[in-house]
Amino acid sequence: MTPRIFIDGEAGTTGLQIRARLEGRTDLDLLSIDLARRKDPEARRELLNSAEVAILCLHDDVAREAVAMIENPATRVLDASSAHRTAEGWAYGFPELTRQSRDEIRAARLVSNPGCYATGAIALLRPLTNAGLLPPDFPLSVQGFSGYSGGGRALVDAHEGRGEHPMAGPFKSYALSLTHKHQPEMARHGGLTQPPLFTPHVGGWRQGMLVQIPLHLGPLGVTAARLHEALADHYAGERFVRVRPFEGGQPADPILDPQILNGTNELELFVYASPGGEHALLVSRLDNLGKGASGAAVQNLDVMLGLEGAGHSYGVPEGV
Ligand SMILES: NC(=O)C1=CN([C@@H]2O[C@H](COP(=O)(O)OP(=O)(O)OC[C@H]3O[C@@H](n4cnc5c(N)ncnc54)[C@H](OP(=O)(O)O)[C@@H]3O)[C@@H](O)[C@H]2O)C=CC1
Ligand SMILES: CC(=O)N[C@@H](CCC(=O)OP(=O)(O)O)C(=O)O
C-alpha cells in the first residue's frame, strides 16, 4: 500500500518546501488538512494517527504536543523542529554522517531532522573527530551566515514587506549571549565533549548559508591536506555531499556565494589553508531550506521508507 504521509505545519516555511519537493510523487499518499482546521487539535490528532509517517514542521513546543498526540504505534515521526535532536530514543536524520546512520534512520520510529547551521558544522566535524584528527575536547569556534528564511515565517514576512522584526535588514549578528539552540546538537553529533563557541549572522538574502570553522593547525599537529583527505574519504560516493578540491595556496573556490545551492538538497564542503600552513578554514555551503531542512526531511523520509534508491533529487522541481 502507498505510504500515507501527513505534514503537520504544512503551511509554514519548512512545510511548504517539503510539499514542493513531494510534488509529483506517486509513490506516496500525501494527507492534507483543511487549512481552516490546521491548528484544530482533533483534526490534527486524526491525521497524525492515520499516517505511516508524520512530518512535524512546527515550533518546538507544538512539535512536543504533536508527539504526545500520537497513540498509534505504527505512526513514525520525522520531526523538523529542534525539540528532539539530542533526545534519547530519537535517531538523528543525517544519513551520510556515519557508516551506521542510514540503518539507524531506516529502523527508527522517531527521527529528528538536523538544524541548518548544525548540519553545516557537524558535516565538517564528525568525520574529523571519528578519524582522530580533531580531539573531542578541542576548543572550536563556528560561524554561521544564513539567509533570512532561517528565521521562519515572521522574519520572512518582515523582509517581504509584511511586518517588522528586529533581525530584519541587510546584515545582523545575533545570539550574542553566546548561547544558541544548535550548540548542544553540534557537540553531540559532531563528536565533541563541549559545545563550540557559535556566532550566527543573518542577511538580506532569502535562503542559502555558509558555516565556517577556523582552525589553528599548530596545536592540532595536522595539515589542512590531511583534513581534506579525511573529509573526501568519508563522503566518497555520496550523492548529496561533495568535498570540493583542495589546492593549498591557490583556492579552487576563491569566493563563496551562499546562494549557489538554493533549491537543491546538496551540501558542499571546502578546506582552505594559509600559505604557511598555520591556519585552515573549513567551510560548508548549503540551502538552509534544502539540506538544512526540507530537502533533508524528504531524503530522511525516503531512507525511513526504504525509497532512497529510487534516485529522487530532493530538490524543488522547476516551476514549483
Ligand atoms: N526555517 C528554517 O530554515 C528551518 C526551520 N526548521 C524548523 O522547522 C520548524 C518550523 O519552522 P518554520 O517552518 O521556519 O516555521 P514557520 O513559522 O514558518 O511555520 C510553522 C507553522 O506551524 C503552524 N502552527 C503554529 N501553531 C500550530 C498549531 N498549534 N498546530 C498546527 N500548526 C501550527 C504555523 O501557522 P501560523 O503561521 O498560521 O501560525 C506555521 O504554518 C521549527 O521548529 C524550526 O526550528 C528547521 C530547519 C530549518
Ligand atoms: C536566521 C535564523 O534565525 N536561524 C535560526 C535557525 C534556523 C534553523 O534552520 O534551525 P532550526 O532547524 O533549529 O530551526 C536561528 O538561529 O534560530
Side-chain angles (χ1 to χ4, degrees), residues 215-253:
L215 291 172
H216 292 268
L217 296 179
L220 273 177
V222 67
T223 63
R226 180 72 192 95
L227 297 176
H228 178 268
E229 183 187 39
L231 290 171
D233 282 353
H234 179 75
Y235 292 109
E238 286 294 350
R239 179 167 173 213
F240 298 109
V241 186
R242 275 195 309 273
V243 182
R244 296 282 302 156
F246 173 70
E247 292 178 14
Q250 290 299 318
D253 304 278

Short mmCIF file of all heavy atoms in Angstrom, two decimals, residues 215-253:
data_model
loop_
_atom_site.label_atom_id
_atom_site.label_comp_id
_atom_site.label_asym_id
_atom_site.label_seq_id
_atom_site.Cartn_x
_atom_site.Cartn_y
_atom_site.Cartn_z
N LEU A 215 40.56 27.15 12.08
CA LEU A 215 41.41 26.29 12.92
C LEU A 215 42.86 26.78 12.93
O LEU A 215 43.41 27.12 11.88
CB LEU A 215 41.42 24.87 12.36
CG LEU A 215 40.14 24.05 12.45
CD1 LEU A 215 40.30 22.74 11.67
CD2 LEU A 215 39.76 23.77 13.89
N HIS A 216 43.47 26.81 14.12
CA HIS A 216 44.92 26.98 14.24
C HIS A 216 45.51 25.57 14.18
O HIS A 216 45.22 24.74 15.03
CB HIS A 216 45.28 27.65 15.58
CG HIS A 216 44.81 29.08 15.64
ND1 HIS A 216 45.61 30.12 15.27
CD2 HIS A 216 43.63 29.61 16.01
CE1 HIS A 216 44.94 31.27 15.40
NE2 HIS A 216 43.73 30.97 15.86
N LEU A 217 46.32 25.30 13.16
CA LEU A 217 46.77 23.92 12.96
C LEU A 217 47.91 23.50 13.87
O LEU A 217 48.08 22.31 14.14
CB LEU A 217 47.15 23.71 11.48
CG LEU A 217 45.98 23.85 10.50
CD1 LEU A 217 46.46 23.64 9.06
CD2 LEU A 217 44.85 22.87 10.82
N GLY A 218 48.70 24.49 14.38
CA GLY A 218 49.84 24.14 15.26
C GLY A 218 49.41 23.24 16.41
O GLY A 218 49.91 22.12 16.56
N PRO A 219 48.44 23.69 17.24
CA PRO A 219 48.02 22.86 18.39
C PRO A 219 47.41 21.53 17.98
O PRO A 219 47.37 20.58 18.77
CB PRO A 219 46.98 23.72 19.11
CG PRO A 219 47.10 25.09 18.55
CD PRO A 219 47.78 25.00 17.21
N LEU A 220 46.95 21.42 16.74
CA LEU A 220 46.32 20.16 16.30
C LEU A 220 47.35 19.16 15.76
O LEU A 220 47.10 17.96 15.75
CB LEU A 220 45.32 20.45 15.17
CG LEU A 220 43.90 20.81 15.57
CD1 LEU A 220 43.07 21.14 14.34
CD2 LEU A 220 43.26 19.66 16.35
N GLY A 221 48.48 19.68 15.27
CA GLY A 221 49.50 18.79 14.72
C GLY A 221 49.03 18.05 13.48
O GLY A 221 49.31 16.86 13.30
N VAL A 222 48.28 18.74 12.63
CA VAL A 222 47.76 18.10 11.43
C VAL A 222 47.80 19.13 10.29
O VAL A 222 47.76 20.34 10.54
CB VAL A 222 46.31 17.58 11.69
CG1 VAL A 222 45.33 18.70 11.89
CG2 VAL A 222 45.84 16.65 10.60
N THR A 223 47.90 18.65 9.06
CA THR A 223 47.90 19.59 7.93
C THR A 223 46.48 19.74 7.37
O THR A 223 45.63 18.84 7.53
CB THR A 223 48.81 19.08 6.79
OG1 THR A 223 48.26 17.84 6.31
CG2 THR A 223 50.24 18.88 7.26
N ALA A 224 46.29 20.85 6.65
CA ALA A 224 44.99 21.06 6.01
C ALA A 224 44.75 19.97 4.96
O ALA A 224 43.61 19.51 4.78
CB ALA A 224 44.95 22.45 5.37
N ALA A 225 45.81 19.55 4.28
CA ALA A 225 45.67 18.50 3.26
C ALA A 225 45.14 17.21 3.89
O ALA A 225 44.31 16.50 3.31
CB ALA A 225 47.01 18.25 2.57
N ARG A 226 45.61 16.90 5.11
CA ARG A 226 45.15 15.67 5.78
C ARG A 226 43.67 15.79 6.19
O ARG A 226 42.92 14.81 6.09
CB ARG A 226 46.05 15.42 7.01
CG ARG A 226 45.71 14.20 7.81
CD ARG A 226 46.09 12.91 7.10
NE ARG A 226 45.51 11.75 7.76
CZ ARG A 226 44.36 11.16 7.42
NH1 ARG A 226 43.66 11.61 6.38
NH2 ARG A 226 43.92 10.11 8.08
N LEU A 227 43.27 16.99 6.62
CA LEU A 227 41.86 17.19 6.98
C LEU A 227 40.98 17.01 5.74
O LEU A 227 39.94 16.36 5.78
CB LEU A 227 41.65 18.60 7.56
CG LEU A 227 42.40 18.92 8.86
CD1 LEU A 227 42.17 20.37 9.27
CD2 LEU A 227 41.96 17.99 10.00
N HIS A 228 41.46 17.57 4.62
CA HIS A 228 40.69 17.45 3.37
C HIS A 228 40.58 15.99 2.95
O HIS A 228 39.51 15.51 2.55
CB HIS A 228 41.37 18.27 2.26
CG HIS A 228 40.67 18.17 0.95
ND1 HIS A 228 41.01 17.22 0.00
CD2 HIS A 228 39.61 18.84 0.44
CE1 HIS A 228 40.20 17.34 -1.03
NE2 HIS A 228 39.35 18.31 -0.80
N GLU A 229 41.70 15.26 3.08
CA GLU A 229 41.70 13.86 2.67
C GLU A 229 40.68 13.05 3.49
O GLU A 229 39.95 12.21 2.95
CB GLU A 229 43.11 13.30 2.89
CG GLU A 229 43.30 11.87 2.46
CD GLU A 229 44.68 11.34 2.87
OE1 GLU A 229 45.15 11.66 3.99
OE2 GLU A 229 45.28 10.62 2.08
N ALA A 230 40.62 13.35 4.80
CA ALA A 230 39.69 12.60 5.66
C ALA A 230 38.25 12.89 5.27
O ALA A 230 37.39 11.99 5.23
CB ALA A 230 39.92 12.95 7.13
N LEU A 231 37.95 14.16 4.96
CA LEU A 231 36.58 14.51 4.56
C LEU A 231 36.25 13.85 3.21
O LEU A 231 35.17 13.29 3.03
CB LEU A 231 36.43 16.04 4.46
CG LEU A 231 36.45 16.78 5.80
CD1 LEU A 231 36.52 18.30 5.57
CD2 LEU A 231 35.23 16.44 6.64
N ALA A 232 37.19 13.95 2.27
CA ALA A 232 36.96 13.38 0.93
C ALA A 232 36.75 11.86 1.02
O ALA A 232 35.86 11.30 0.37
CB ALA A 232 38.11 13.72 0.00
N ASP A 233 37.54 11.19 1.86
CA ASP A 233 37.38 9.73 2.04
C ASP A 233 36.01 9.42 2.60
O ASP A 233 35.32 8.51 2.14
CB ASP A 233 38.42 9.18 3.03
CG ASP A 233 39.78 9.04 2.36
OD1 ASP A 233 39.86 9.25 1.13
OD2 ASP A 233 40.76 8.76 3.10
N HIS A 234 35.62 10.18 3.63
CA HIS A 234 34.37 9.86 4.31
C HIS A 234 33.17 10.01 3.37
O HIS A 234 32.25 9.18 3.40
CB HIS A 234 34.17 10.75 5.55
CG HIS A 234 32.88 10.46 6.24
ND1 HIS A 234 32.70 9.34 7.01
CD2 HIS A 234 31.67 11.08 6.20
CE1 HIS A 234 31.45 9.29 7.45
NE2 HIS A 234 30.80 10.35 6.96
N TYR A 235 33.16 11.07 2.56
CA TYR A 235 31.97 11.33 1.74
C TYR A 235 32.07 10.77 0.32
O TYR A 235 31.18 11.01 -0.49
CB TYR A 235 31.68 12.84 1.70
CG TYR A 235 31.24 13.38 3.06
CD1 TYR A 235 32.07 14.20 3.81
CD2 TYR A 235 30.01 13.02 3.60
CE1 TYR A 235 31.68 14.67 5.06
CE2 TYR A 235 29.61 13.48 4.85
CZ TYR A 235 30.46 14.31 5.57
OH TYR A 235 30.06 14.76 6.80
N ALA A 236 33.14 10.02 0.03
CA ALA A 236 33.29 9.46 -1.32
C ALA A 236 32.04 8.65 -1.69
O ALA A 236 31.57 7.83 -0.90
CB ALA A 236 34.52 8.56 -1.37
N GLY A 237 31.49 8.90 -2.86
CA GLY A 237 30.32 8.14 -3.32
C GLY A 237 28.99 8.68 -2.85
O GLY A 237 27.95 8.19 -3.28
N GLU A 238 28.99 9.68 -1.97
CA GLU A 238 27.72 10.25 -1.53
C GLU A 238 27.18 11.19 -2.60
O GLU A 238 27.92 12.00 -3.16
CB GLU A 238 27.87 11.03 -0.20
CG GLU A 238 28.05 10.14 1.00
CD GLU A 238 26.80 9.28 1.31
OE1 GLU A 238 25.75 9.52 0.69
OE2 GLU A 238 26.91 8.38 2.14
N ARG A 239 25.88 11.11 -2.83
CA ARG A 239 25.29 11.90 -3.90
C ARG A 239 25.07 13.36 -3.51
O ARG A 239 25.16 14.26 -4.34
CB ARG A 239 23.95 11.24 -4.27
CG ARG A 239 23.24 11.97 -5.35
CD ARG A 239 22.09 11.14 -5.88
NE ARG A 239 21.33 11.95 -6.81
CZ ARG A 239 20.04 11.86 -6.99
NH1 ARG A 239 19.35 10.96 -6.33
NH2 ARG A 239 19.42 12.64 -7.85
N PHE A 240 24.77 13.60 -2.24
CA PHE A 240 24.37 14.96 -1.86
C PHE A 240 25.45 15.73 -1.12
O PHE A 240 25.27 16.92 -0.84
CB PHE A 240 23.08 14.91 -1.02
CG PHE A 240 21.93 14.33 -1.80
CD1 PHE A 240 21.43 13.08 -1.50
CD2 PHE A 240 21.39 15.03 -2.86
CE1 PHE A 240 20.39 12.54 -2.25
CE2 PHE A 240 20.36 14.51 -3.61
CZ PHE A 240 19.85 13.26 -3.30
N VAL A 241 26.53 15.08 -0.74
CA VAL A 241 27.62 15.79 -0.04
C VAL A 241 28.87 15.72 -0.90
O VAL A 241 29.34 14.63 -1.24
CB VAL A 241 27.90 15.16 1.35
CG1 VAL A 241 28.93 16.00 2.11
CG2 VAL A 241 26.62 15.02 2.16
N ARG A 242 29.38 16.88 -1.27
CA ARG A 242 30.56 16.93 -2.15
C ARG A 242 31.68 17.67 -1.46
O ARG A 242 31.46 18.76 -0.91
CB ARG A 242 30.24 17.70 -3.44
CG ARG A 242 29.60 16.88 -4.52
CD ARG A 242 29.66 17.63 -5.85
NE ARG A 242 29.15 18.99 -5.73
CZ ARG A 242 27.87 19.31 -5.86
NH1 ARG A 242 26.98 18.40 -6.12
NH2 ARG A 242 27.47 20.57 -5.73
N VAL A 243 32.86 17.09 -1.49
CA VAL A 243 34.04 17.78 -0.93
C VAL A 243 34.78 18.41 -2.10
O VAL A 243 35.21 17.70 -3.02
CB VAL A 243 34.93 16.79 -0.15
CG1 VAL A 243 36.12 17.52 0.46
CG2 VAL A 243 34.11 16.09 0.93
N ARG A 244 34.88 19.73 -2.11
CA ARG A 244 35.48 20.43 -3.25
C ARG A 244 37.00 20.24 -3.22
O ARG A 244 37.60 20.00 -2.17
CB ARG A 244 35.14 21.92 -3.17
CG ARG A 244 33.64 22.19 -3.30
CD ARG A 244 33.18 22.10 -4.73
NE ARG A 244 33.91 23.04 -5.55
CZ ARG A 244 34.10 22.92 -6.87
NH1 ARG A 244 33.62 21.88 -7.52
NH2 ARG A 244 34.77 23.83 -7.53
N PRO A 245 37.67 20.34 -4.39
CA PRO A 245 39.11 20.08 -4.44
C PRO A 245 39.91 21.01 -3.52
O PRO A 245 39.53 22.16 -3.34
CB PRO A 245 39.47 20.36 -5.90
CG PRO A 245 38.19 20.41 -6.64
CD PRO A 245 37.10 20.70 -5.68
N PHE A 246 40.99 20.47 -3.00
CA PHE A 246 41.89 21.27 -2.13
C PHE A 246 43.14 21.59 -2.93
O PHE A 246 43.80 20.69 -3.44
CB PHE A 246 42.27 20.45 -0.90
CG PHE A 246 43.30 21.10 -0.04
CD1 PHE A 246 42.99 22.24 0.70
CD2 PHE A 246 44.59 20.61 0.03
CE1 PHE A 246 43.93 22.85 1.50
CE2 PHE A 246 45.54 21.21 0.83
CZ PHE A 246 45.21 22.34 1.56
N GLU A 247 43.42 22.87 -3.07
CA GLU A 247 44.59 23.23 -3.86
C GLU A 247 45.52 24.15 -3.09
O GLU A 247 46.07 25.11 -3.64
CB GLU A 247 44.15 23.81 -5.20
CG GLU A 247 43.48 22.71 -6.05
CD GLU A 247 42.95 23.17 -7.38
OE1 GLU A 247 43.31 24.27 -7.82
OE2 GLU A 247 42.18 22.41 -7.97
N GLY A 248 45.65 23.87 -1.79
CA GLY A 248 46.62 24.57 -0.96
C GLY A 248 46.52 26.07 -1.06
O GLY A 248 45.48 26.65 -0.78
N GLY A 249 47.60 26.72 -1.49
CA GLY A 249 47.69 28.17 -1.50
C GLY A 249 46.77 28.85 -2.51
O GLY A 249 46.41 30.01 -2.34
N GLN A 250 46.39 28.14 -3.58
CA GLN A 250 45.53 28.77 -4.60
C GLN A 250 44.15 28.12 -4.54
O GLN A 250 43.90 27.11 -5.18
CB GLN A 250 46.13 28.55 -6.00
CG GLN A 250 47.39 29.33 -6.27
CD GLN A 250 47.14 30.85 -6.18
OE1 GLN A 250 46.14 31.34 -6.65
NE2 GLN A 250 48.05 31.56 -5.54
N PRO A 251 43.25 28.72 -3.75
CA PRO A 251 41.96 28.04 -3.55
C PRO A 251 41.21 27.81 -4.86
O PRO A 251 41.16 28.69 -5.72
CB PRO A 251 41.17 28.98 -2.65
CG PRO A 251 42.06 30.10 -2.29
CD PRO A 251 43.32 30.02 -3.08
N ALA A 252 40.63 26.61 -4.99
CA ALA A 252 39.83 26.30 -6.18
C ALA A 252 38.56 27.14 -6.21
O ALA A 252 38.03 27.42 -7.28
CB ALA A 252 39.48 24.81 -6.16
N ASP A 253 38.07 27.53 -5.04
CA ASP A 253 36.85 28.35 -4.95
C ASP A 253 37.21 29.61 -4.16
O ASP A 253 37.00 29.66 -2.95
CB ASP A 253 35.75 27.58 -4.22
CG ASP A 253 35.45 26.25 -4.88
OD1 ASP A 253 34.70 26.23 -5.86
OD2 ASP A 253 36.00 25.23 -4.42
#
